[in-house]
Each structure stands twice: as C-alpha cells, then as structure tokens.
Amino acid sequence: MDLPVIQYAKNICEQELRKALAAGKEGGIEIYYQPFVHVGTGQVIGAEALTRWVHPLLGDISPRIFVPLAESNGLVTDLDRYVLTVACQQARKWQDTYGPIRIATNISPHSLQHADFVTVILNVLQETRLPPECLEIELTENIAIRQEHTHSILARLKGLGIKIAIDDFGTGYSSLNYLRVFPVDTLKIDKVFVRDVENSQQEVPITSAIIRLAHELNLQIVAEGVESEEQKNYLLRKDCHVMQGFLFSKPLPADQFERFLQASVHSGSRIGRC
C-alpha cells in the first residue's frame, strides 16, 4: 500500500477515534472487566478494566491499533481519563451492592508524564466516591521514561493509598530495577510465563522465581492468562493464589460482570477487601 494511502487511512482513523472519545459509550468506546480471583477462597477480589472500541462501520478495532494511535496523536491522556472515570464509577456502584472491590486500570507512560496527572486521579476519586485503596494503577516497563518524575508521581499516589502494579512482569530488561526504584504493591506474571508451565523446562523456573521474589518483597502476586486447570494447580503449588484468565472468565461488559459477581456471592464466595 502506498504511503499516502496509509497516512490517509491513519488520519481517518484518528478523526474517528476523536469522535468516539467525545461520544463515549455512544461512540463505541466500551469498558470490559476481567476478574481477579483468589483461587484458595473463591473470592473475587477485583477486576481489570479493559478498553474496547466497536466502530459502527468497521466493527471491533483492536487495542493494538487504537492505543498506539492514541499515544502518537496525543489522545491517550483523554482515553486514560475516560477509562479511569467509567471504571471508578462502576466500581463504586458494585461496592454499594456487593462490598469492597478493587478496580485496576492501565495507564499509559504518556499520561503519567503530565503535570496534572495526580490531580486528575484525585478529581476522579472525589467525583466517583471510590476509596483510593480500591484503585490500582497498572504500569508497564515503559514507565521509566523520566525516572525521577515517575518516582515522584508514584510516591504521591502511594501516599494517597492508591496501589501500584507492574503489568507483564518479567518481559522487560529493567523489571528488577523497577522494584528497587518504584513503590510497587503488585507484580503481575505475564501470560508467556504461565503458558505451558507444566511442559516447559525454561519457563517453570522463571515463573517460580517471580513468585518467590514477590513473597520475599512482601508484594502481591497475580498470574495473568490462566487458561487451564493444569496451570492453576501449578501456580497454587508455587503459592500463587490470585489469578486472572479465561479459566475463570473472559473480559465482560459491565452487566455481565455484575452477573458474575452475583453468582460468586450466591455461591458463598464473598468479595474480598480492597
């Protein structure tokens, strides 16, 4: 495809994304929720908020397409703010019915660099009445764009009671350094280390080492991408109890996630504390 055609398509997609963000859910921007489950107790202890864009003509557009596009044209801060607001509003509603539940949202490194980032978080929490300890910010290895600034921002969030998670832990070259520099609460084991843990001679020691490291540092550990009983049982044997993945539930729209919560409560598995 010629470069002018590619650029034209990109410009059209950018315009459509701007309109979608301005319209919110009516523009096709929806938030799905995937539960964190404490397998030992059966408790639903939280959910990760995941963004979906369903275009009226193009259908489902992958986050792998629209998130980089938002980052490249300055829309990602608006996208992060929208997701944060909707997710916190929804978490507050669920708390009023089912008790405390933690909500985790992914934040772009670009949003983190904005001078008013902490103010935005505070305003959202105030507007939605969600307790700070029930919000978890998920960050990836790209957070160290400006290390001193990032540390200052994260320290302020931590001081407010907001939890900090490192997503996809183990996939970056600087992961261990993050634990030394940043005030982290949770490590999320990337799904590449969870996949085929029963069969791989390479990934089993890495997965076990990450779990041991989290326990040594008194951090919570969450395994992503758990899809089989074999994976679940292996993680339990290694003392990892909080999991996320298709074995428990795929990402769900808010109404279906609420039914998942109802089923958990009715089965006797109450929602955990934030």
Side-chain angles (χ1 to χ4, degrees), residues 44 50 62 78 107 126 166 174 181 195 208 215 217-218 222:
V44 177
L50 300 164
S62 169
D78 293 333
I107 296 296
Q126 184 175 15
I166 300 296
S174 303
V181 175
R195 190 182 303 138
S208 300
H215 289 313
L217 296 176
N218 199 29
V222 178

Side-chain angles (χ1 to χ4, degrees), residues 12 20 242:
I12 293 296
V242 179

Side-chain angles (χ1 to χ4, degrees), residues 34-36 223-227 243-251:
Q34 189 171 32
F36 302 129
E224 299 182 281
V226 180
E227 298 181 354
M243 304 181 197
Q244 174 187 11
F246 283 14
L247 179 63
F248 310 101
S249 173
K250 64 181 181 180

